[in-house]
């Protein structure tokens, strides 16, 4: 019995000792700006002096996309939104001239099923056309090639979820000896203003996730979306009617990625200062998140530093 008691005490003592070893030191951190009594101008290096005992430090500059308070944010208020694009139509034969081959559409009730039947069932609002206030697309008036650039306030959709689509539609031309026009859409952008900063969707294949759907004809030609453009170019089916749509994934303008910080110290880095350059004038809250941690415990502290960045005025030389 005595041996069992002694063994139990040893085990308990070992566990207590182990818990002590698993503890982490409280984080101590002080941060100050090298030039805190001087003026800072856009393009200047700002040196932050760091004093303390943290194992890890993550720096948030306070600029859009790097604000500490938004590090877990997945939704944001959109202040305004602009849709813009450039459409180049070429190799347009006379029987396709003076008409709209391309169309721009939006839907709020498309179910996300890219089968032709589902696309046809959805309510699509045509945004492009020749009427007043409509977005412009090429019509190639008695010419073979035309490029049209358009930009429009899209803020009416900033609080909605929707799909964007581009349609390529050519009629049946009996006896046609030459093919349908080629159309390049580059760029195609949706610019959002969030927290006073610009957020841009501009990559057709990933940001928009365009899928091609053949409502008439087939998409066996060069119909594809890559990192820079959308391409509409049928093959050699000269006498066929085409109705091919490129439809985005569901767009939720308010969806945002959490703001990110920059790791500037980890265990074996002897960091006592950090240099950062603000390129745009403004008032920023630079934030340092410091942490001591192991597998079992952690301690965190946060330090904020106000940084006022002024615009540099160039002296005019006579």
């Amino acid at each position: 019995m005595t041996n069992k008691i002694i063994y139990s005490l040893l085990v308990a003592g070992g566990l207590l000792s182990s818990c002590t070893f698993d503890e982490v030191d409280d984080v101590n951190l002080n941060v100050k700006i090298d030039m805190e009594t001087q003026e800072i101008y856009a393009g200047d290096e700002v040196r932050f002096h760091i004093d303390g005992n943290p194992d890890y430090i993550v720096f948030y500059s306070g600029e859009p996309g790097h604000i500490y308070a938004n590090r877990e944010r997945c939704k944001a208020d959109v202040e305004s939104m602009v849709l813009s694009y450039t459409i180049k139509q070429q190799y347009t034969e006379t029987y396709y001239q003076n008409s709209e081959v391309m169309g721009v559409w939006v839907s709020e009730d498309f179910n996300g099923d890219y089968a032709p039947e589902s696309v046809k069932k959805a309510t699509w609002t045509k945004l492009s056309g020749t009427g007043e206030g409509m977005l412009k697309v090429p019509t190639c008036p008695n010419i073979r090639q035309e490029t049209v650039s358009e930009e429009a306030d899209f803020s009416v959709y900033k609080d909605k979820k929707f799909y964007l689509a581009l349609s390529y539609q050519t009629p049946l031309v009996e006896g046609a000896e030459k093919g349908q026009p080629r159309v390049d859409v580059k760029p195609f952008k949706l610019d959002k203003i969030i927290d006073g900063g610009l957020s841009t969707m501009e990559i057709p294949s990933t940001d928009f996730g365009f899928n091609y759907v053949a409502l008439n004809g087939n998409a066996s030609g060069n119909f594809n979306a890559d990192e820079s453009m959308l391409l509409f170019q049928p093959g050699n089916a000269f006498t066929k009617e085409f109705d091919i749509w490129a439809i985005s994934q569901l767009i939720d303008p308010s969806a945002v990625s959490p703001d990110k910080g920059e790791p500037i110290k980890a265990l074996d880095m002897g960091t006592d200062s950090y240099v950062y350059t603000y390129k745009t004038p403004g008032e920023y809250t630079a934030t340092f998140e410091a942490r001591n941690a192991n597998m079992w415990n952690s301690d965190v502290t946060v330090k904020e530093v106000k940084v006022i960045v002024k615009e540099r005025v160039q002296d005019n030389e006579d």
Side-chain angles (χ1 to χ4, degrees):
M1 178 63 69
T2 301
N3 289 337
K4 289 183 178 180
I5 294 173
I6 294 174
Y7 178 76
S8 298
L9 290 173
L10 288 173
V11 170
L15 289 174
L16 180 60
S17 176
S18 175
C19 289
T20 302
F21 286 131
D22 293 343
E23 292 179 356
V24 296
D25 294 333
D26 293 340
V27 178
N28 297 312
L29 182 71
N30 292 299
V31 181
K32 66 178 183 177
I33 301 178
D34 191 30
M35 300 183 294
E36 60 183 354
T37 61
Q38 303 177 27
E39 293 183 328
I40 300 171
Y41 294 92
D44 284 347
E45 287 189 345
V46 181
R47 182 175 295 277
F48 299 92
H49 288 282
I50 303 169
D51 179 42
N53 67 337
D55 293 332
Y56 308 95
I57 300 176
V58 179
F59 170 72
Y60 295 80
S61 67
E63 297 165 297
H66 305 281
I67 298 173
Y68 180 76
N70 297 338
R71 69 196 184 282
E72 297 179 349
R73 182 183 66 170
C74 295
K75 292 281 187 180
D77 292 331
V78 180
E79 298 168 28
S80 63
M81 190 161 61
V82 173
L83 176 69
S84 62
Y85 59 77
T86 295
I87 300 177
K88 179 181 179 180
Q89 182 173 318
Q90 54 189 323
Y91 313 123
T92 308
E93 301 302 325
T94 55
Y95 28 84
Y96 301 118
Q97 293 173 9
N98 301 291
S99 62
E100 298 174 44
V101 169
M102 295 300 298
V104 183
W105 307 77
V106 65
S107 176
E108 296 179 53
D109 65 2
F110 177 54
N111 64 8
D113 177 8
Y114 294 89
E117 296 77 14
S118 296
V119 175
K120 293 176 181 179
K121 287 180 181 178
T123 303
W124 293 96
T125 300
K126 191 176 184 185
L127 304 176
S128 60
T130 56
E132 184 177 354
M134 303 289 282
L135 300 178
K136 300 298 184 273
V137 295
T139 58
C140 290
N142 301 315
I143 55 178
R144 287 173 53 81
Q145 178 173 311
E146 184 182 13
T147 300
V148 171
S149 294
E150 185 66 286
E151 180 177 293
D153 186 356
F154 216 60
S155 297
V156 67
Y157 288 98
K158 68 184 180 67
D159 298 317
K160 301 178 180 180
K161 296 180 181 180
F162 57 90
Y163 293 83
L164 285 170
L166 292 159
S167 64
Y168 177 97
Q169 298 169 317
T170 57
L172 174 66
V173 178
E174 295 289 351
E177 296 180 355
K178 294 184 178 180
Q180 296 85 353
R182 167 177 170 156
V183 176
D184 299 347
V185 183
K186 178 183 179 180
F188 189 88
K189 298 199 308 179
L190 196 61
D191 290 324
K192 301 179 290 183
I193 300 298
I194 298 175
D195 299 329
L198 177 65
S199 175
T200 299
M201 296 176 62
E202 59 184 341
I203 302 177
S205 57
T206 55
D207 287 353
F208 289 98
F210 278 108
N211 286 286
Y212 282 77
V213 182
L215 302 187
N216 207 336
N218 61 70
S220 61
N222 293 320
F223 293 95
N224 61 75
D226 60 21
E227 292 183 355
S228 64
M229 65 179 286
L230 294 108
L231 174 61
F232 299 82
Q233 186 180 30
N236 297 322
F238 299 156
T239 59
K240 287 188 176 182
E241 178 182 359
F242 276 85
D243 190 0
I244 311 295
W245 288 50
I247 305 174
S248 73
Q249 300 288 330
L250 180 64
I251 297 172
D252 180 358
S254 66
V256 295
S257 298
D259 284 21
K260 296 180 179 180
E262 177 72 20
I264 62 174
K265 184 176 189 292
L267 289 178
D268 58 347
M269 296 173 59
T271 302
D272 58 8
S273 67
Y274 181 69
V275 175
Y276 189 79
T277 301
Y278 290 89
K279 298 180 180 179
T280 304
E283 183 173 328
Y284 303 95
T285 301
T287 306
F288 294 79
E289 181 188 61
R291 181 186 303 269
N292 285 339
N294 56 30
M295 292 178 60
W296 301 273
N297 293 292
S298 66
D299 187 61
V300 179
T301 192
V302 174
K303 294 292 182 181
E304 295 181 345
V305 179
K306 290 289 185 183
V307 182
I308 299 175
V309 181
K310 297 184 177 181
E311 183 175 1
R312 189 182 301 280
V313 179
Q314 298 292 340
D315 294 332
N316 293 325
E317 296 182 1
D318 295 333

